[in-house]
Amino acid sequence: MSDFFTVYHHLFNTFLLGSGYALSQWVVMRAGVFSVATAGLASIGAYCAAILTTKLGWPHPLSILAGTLLGTLTGLLLSVPLARLRGVFQAIATLAFVQIVVAVGLFSDSLTGGAIGLNAIPILVGTKENLLALLCTIYVLLAIGATRVGRAFEAIRQDEAVASSLGVSVTFHQSLAFGLSGAIAGLFGGLEAFQTFTLFPNTYGFGLIVAALSYVVLGGRRSVAGPIVGTAILLILPEVSRPLADYRNALYGVIMMLVIAFMPRGIVDTGLLYLRRRRLAAKAAAESRQ
Amino acid sequence: MSALVIKGVSKHFGGVAAVSDVNMEVPPGKVTGLIGPNGAGKTTLINLITGVLTVSEGSIHFGAQDITEVPAYKVARAGISRTFQNIRLLAEASVIDNVMIGFYRNEKTTTPASLLGLHSARRETAALRDRANKLLERFGMSKFADQEAGGLAYGHQRRVEMMRALASDPALILLDEPVAGMNDVEAGELGEIFRGLARNGMGVLLIEHNVRFVTTLCDFVYVLDSGRMIASGSPEQIVNDPAVITAYLGS
Ligand SMILES: Nc1ncnc2c1ncn2[C@@H]1O[C@H](COP(=O)(O)OP(=O)(O)O)[C@@H](O)[C@H]1O
Ligand SMILES: [Mg+2]
């Protein structure tokens, strides 16, 4: 058992962090925003936390909190110019944001260490903290889904005109979603900073954009469980079969194409929908027998 | 209760005037009709009232409030609700969830309470679910509560949209061809519901194609043709108005 744990310890932490990024990606999509800003927001959280501790000697919990707040603030600010954009234009604008964050990380080497990386970050965070952060995130996202804000998100995602005709402010809720996305990405970025020794700007670049999107598209965009299941599958597949690991990116690409073509709602949402339809059919059958 | 007052409103799309210098009043407690041939500008007028489109000229007041430049979600919060000519439901959501979103305007739950899933927020959600179920009963739709709204028959979808608009407890409701495509029995049932709403003090603006339906139901009727108001008056005056007869027979 403990052997198993040492081997898979690292994988489990990767899964917890990946789930955090997936949920950051998920929450904006939940409110109908096609943003890919999660990678940039995570970078800001990670660098903020690491710099505060390595350069200013802040205690790491405080640094992680600061990273979370800076991620939130950046998300909120980002939502202002993006309020007028929709769909693919939001995606392009947020892609540019991620590129800018990477570029700033590379060029301001006195602060970030540039391409050589920000080194000698103490290892202060482990599975316990990751798990706690993920559970808190899941709690908040479930709470939203069960109450007023979740209904507003859902209405906006499906039809903005309907949402506003009922008094729902699209701008406010999309800003809120950006803020939440920034908070989650900043939090998990900060946690990641204290378990990797070194931060590189490109860790939070195109690769993370694709990964976070893939987790959500594979798992599902509606239920909170979707992105977590998506993360688990996409991280575990290359582990169970070593040859697959060498072709990780190709494998992701193929899986994404298959899912989008044959299961556009994602695995979890398709499963839940199937169960719901079966339950309704059973109910209807029972009623017609009476 | 407030009246809707429209003064000298025009709307141009490029060079084309979809609505020209329209004056109109929709008082509370009455069913006001708006008729006119296809393309007359009826839907455009609703979009101008609800802030979906911005007016080119003129003013729109609701009670003491000037809503001429107010964005759609604030018009809704002021108590004006609408249905859409081409039904717009949250197709993936269940019938009851479609109705629940209608309550949004009057919900007490704050954003932080919702994010933290506080007991008060969950309790309000449960209370709204009960109210939604009552509304479904009133419209004879209880057995569809958990079904996906997008899969319902046309007439049932219309009812869901109506329930959603009513859930927001508006002071004024704008109905864009709510009985289009229904048979006389179904239309009559809904007509009774509209009259009931007006009796309880709500202002009702009914857009309709079917002149007979409008004249049996409305207290006052406006007639729009090519963006201009060509007649207004009691149903009897309208059906005997030569300009109206030409507009309908001529088109
Ligand atoms: N967004 C728009 N852009 C350009 N023209 C429009 C737009 N909306 C409506 N129109 C035009 O305005 C006129 C009135 O349309 P509409 O209000 O839908 O009529 P009705 O609801 O009475 O059938 C039509 O000629 C239509 O083509
Ligand atoms: Mg119309």
Side-chain angles (χ1 to χ4, degrees):
Chain A
M1 183 65 212
S2 82
D3 224 29
F4 174 88
F5 197 66
T6 358
V7 173
Y8 288 106
H9 192 199
H10 177 70
L11 182 61
F12 188 55
N13 280 325
T14 310
F15 159 70
L16 294 175
L17 292 173
S19 297
Y21 297 142
L23 289 173
S24 162
Q25 176 67 56
W26 175 86
V27 75
V28 275
M29 291 174 100
R30 190 66 216 276
V33 186
F34 189 12
S35 156
V36 297
T38 288
L41 296 165
S43 177
I44 286 171
Y47 274 94
C48 171
I51 289 168
L52 287 175
T53 293
T54 55
K55 311 229 168 186
L56 301 178
W58 283 34
H60 74 281
L62 217 55
S63 301
I64 293 172
L65 183 66
T68 308
L69 291 178
L70 191 60
T72 313
L73 196 67
T74 311
L76 289 174
L77 286 176
L78 203 54
S79 74
V80 176
L82 287 175
R84 296 180 150 272
L85 304 182
R86 289 293 177 271
V88 70
F89 296 102
Q90 282 173 330
I92 293 168
T94 48
L95 181 64
F97 161 75
V98 176
Q99 303 287 40
I100 291 168
V101 174
V102 171
V104 169
L106 287 172
F107 290 120
S108 45
D109 29 1
S110 60
L111 193 62
T112 64
I116 298 164
L118 184 64
N119 288 301
I121 310 168
I123 302 294
L124 296 168
V125 165
T127 307
K128 225 174 29 203
E129 290 83 357
N130 291 339
L131 197 56
L132 183 67
L134 186 61
L135 290 177
C136 289
T137 305
I138 291 173
Y139 171 81
V140 171
L141 295 179
L142 285 176
I144 292 172
T147 53
R148 180 175 197 231
V149 171
R151 287 193 284 279
F153 279 0
E154 188 64 14
I156 292 170
R157 185 177 67 79
Q158 292 194 42
D159 192 331
E160 285 185 20
V162 167
S164 44
S165 83
L166 294 164
V168 178
S169 164
V170 175
T171 313
F172 172 80
H173 283 95
Q174 295 200 333
S175 289
L176 184 64
F178 262 110
L180 285 166
S181 176
I184 300 168
L187 169 64
F188 283 86
L191 290 169
E192 187 170 27
F194 292 105
Q195 43 198 317
T196 60
F197 291 116
T198 310
L199 286 180
F200 298 105
N202 278 315
T203 308
Y204 303 99
F206 197 66
L208 184 54
I209 291 180
V210 175
L213 271 176
S214 311
Y215 299 155
V216 178
V217 173
L218 175 65
R221 275 158 292 179
R222 231 177 141 184
S223 61
V224 178
I228 298 169
V229 170
T231 309
I233 294 173
L234 284 179
L235 286 176
I236 288 166
L237 266 187
E239 300 300 323
V240 293
S241 155
R242 273 291 143 196
L244 287 181
D246 298 336
Y247 301 101
R248 183 188 290 262
N249 283 332
L251 175 73
Y252 279 22
V254 171
I255 291 179
M256 289 336 301
M257 277 160 62
L258 290 177
V259 168
I260 290 168
F262 297 109
M263 211 188 266
R265 288 167 193 262
I267 291 176
V268 173
D269 291 348
T270 305
L272 290 176
L273 187 69
Y274 171 76
L275 290 177
R276 195 173 98 181
R277 289 201 171 139
R278 235 181 48 169
R279 204 186 61 227
L280 283 174
K283 207 173 108 188
E287 268 163 17
S288 70
R289 264 200 305 276
Q290 277 171 8
Chain B
M1 282 292 184
S2 325
L4 177 79
V5 179
I6 298 173
K7 280 199 187 121
V9 162
S10 303
K11 175 68 184 178
H12 312 285
F13 291 111
V16 185
V19 170
S20 313
D21 193 24
V22 162
N23 294 293
M24 191 175 158
E25 197 163 323
V26 185
K30 297 245 185 313
V31 180
T32 305
L34 176 61
I35 61 174
N38 249 329
K42 306 181 294 294
T43 300
T44 304
L45 195 56
I46 287 215
N47 285 334
L48 292 170
I49 297 168
T50 52
V52 173
L53 295 172
T54 50
V55 304
S56 307
E57 283 156 44
S59 73
I60 306 174
H61 284 79
F62 186 51
Q65 201 181 347
D66 183 349
I67 57 166
T68 315
E69 307 276 335
V70 169
Y73 75 95
K74 284 192 179 159
V75 174
R77 288 180 190 183
I80 300 181
S81 205
R82 72 173 291 181
T83 62
F84 295 85
Q85 181 176 355
N86 48 340
I87 308 175
R88 295 179 86 144
L89 295 178
L90 308 181
E92 291 175 30
S94 66
V95 167
I96 192 156
D97 286 345
N98 265 278
V99 177
M100 295 269 292
I101 184 65
F103 293 116
Y104 181 88
R105 176 169 89 90
N106 294 313
E107 277 185 64
K108 304 274 182 301
T109 300
T110 60
T111 300
S114 176
L115 297 191
L116 296 174
L118 297 188
H119 183 62
S120 62
R122 294 174 192 272
R123 206 174 40 206
E124 182 169 42
T125 295
L128 294 179
R129 194 164 289 278
D130 288 344
R131 280 177 58 192
N133 275 317
K134 295 220 173 69
L135 206 52
L136 289 179
E137 249 168 61
R138 193 170 131 208
F139 277 75
M141 293 284 291
S142 294
K143 64 168 178 279
F144 301 109
D146 295 323
Q147 291 198 10
E148 263 176 65
L152 293 182
Y154 179 81
H156 290 146
Q157 291 201 10
R158 280 249 173 259
R159 281 167 188 254
V160 176
E161 214 190 24
M162 208 95 61
M163 288 186 285
R164 185 176 69 191
L166 288 179
S168 73
D169 192 19
L172 170 66
I173 189 166
L174 313 173
L175 303 163
D176 198 348
E177 306 201 16
V179 297
M182 289 188 182
N183 63 37
D184 283 357
V185 179
E186 287 176 314
E189 281 172 21
L190 283 180
E192 269 316 299
I193 291 176
F194 303 155
R195 283 239 60 97
L197 297 175
R199 264 199 304 278
N200 291 328
M202 199 181 286
V204 179
L205 178 64
L206 175 69
I207 290 190
E208 194 33 65
H209 234 45
N210 182 335
V211 182
R212 192 158 48 91
F213 184 69
V214 171
T215 49
T216 52
L217 204 65
C218 295
D219 300 297
F220 196 87
V221 181
Y222 289 92
V223 187
L224 205 57
D225 184 29
S226 306
R228 298 187 171 279
M229 204 62 93
I230 55 165
S232 63
S234 69
E236 297 75 43
Q237 286 170 319
I238 290 302
V239 288
N240 296 317
D241 190 309
V244 177
I245 294 166
T246 331
Y248 266 86
L249 296 181
S251 63

